[in-house]
Amino acid sequence: MAARRSVVEREMIALLPRLRRFALALCKTQDVADDLVQETCERAITRAEQFEEGTRLDRWMFSIMSSRWKNHLRSQKVRAADSDDEVLTTIIDERESGRAERLQALSEVERALLRLPLDQRETLMLTSIEGLSYREAAETLDVAIGTVMSRVSRARLTLAGELGAGA
């Protein structure tokens, strides 16, 4: 086994220029190609017992290199997909979180609105939700316009007090 390893190491040195050329063709950048050559050589040395004497070392080394490169590309795709999934999950989580917060706030507003006295609630609904003018709300409720303004004002102050100053 040690003898086979010694043969692989010795012959590998002569193959380095060819390995670098092949790696550069695969990777397209010198630094990545150099890393690939190093990985290939390390793999060949640690697995020297798998090299069959009488076969061509260059083919065996090129096969190792090709396999290492394909593994590298697959892992990059997985990382990119994981990264995309993480980004998408983060965006969805943020949207869902924002949606949940909005639903919670809306629910609080609805509960506070339901606690208002009926006259304030109906006046506020007509003016703020249905979009009626104060005059139209007054005519609809058969009350004076000043009463509508007063009810809306009291309803808003009550809601602001219950929901917080920012409401």
Side-chain angles (χ1 to χ4, degrees), residues 22 30 37 41-42 46 52 55 58 62 82 101 107 120 133 144 152:
F22 183 57
Q30 191 63 52
V37 170
C41 292
E42 288 174 350
T46 59
E52 296 177 22
T55 61
D58 59 347
F62 291 147
D82 287 348
E101 289 170 3
S107 180
Q120 290 178 21
S133 68
V152 168

Side-chain angles (χ1 to χ4, degrees), residues 68-124:
R68 301 297 303 158
W69 182 245
K70 288 175 186 173
N71 288 341
H72 174 75
L73 292 177
R74 272 193 295 272
S75 71
Q76 277 188 327
K77 284 182 184 177
V78 168
R79 272 182 264 170
D82 287 348
S83 176
D84 291 346
D85 289 347
E86 289 173 20
V87 168
L88 185 58
T89 300
T90 301
I91 291 169
I92 290 170
D93 287 346
E94 287 174 2
R95 285 184 181 166
E96 289 301 314
S97 174
R99 182 173 184 256
E101 289 170 3
R102 287 189 303 274
L103 288 173
Q104 177 67 29
L106 186 59
S107 180
E108 290 175 26
V109 169
E110 183 180 29
R111 285 192 301 270
L113 188 61
L114 291 174
R115 286 191 294 270
L116 289 174
L118 178 60
D119 60 342
Q120 290 178 21
R121 186 170 61 239
E122 68 184 354
T123 305
L124 188 63

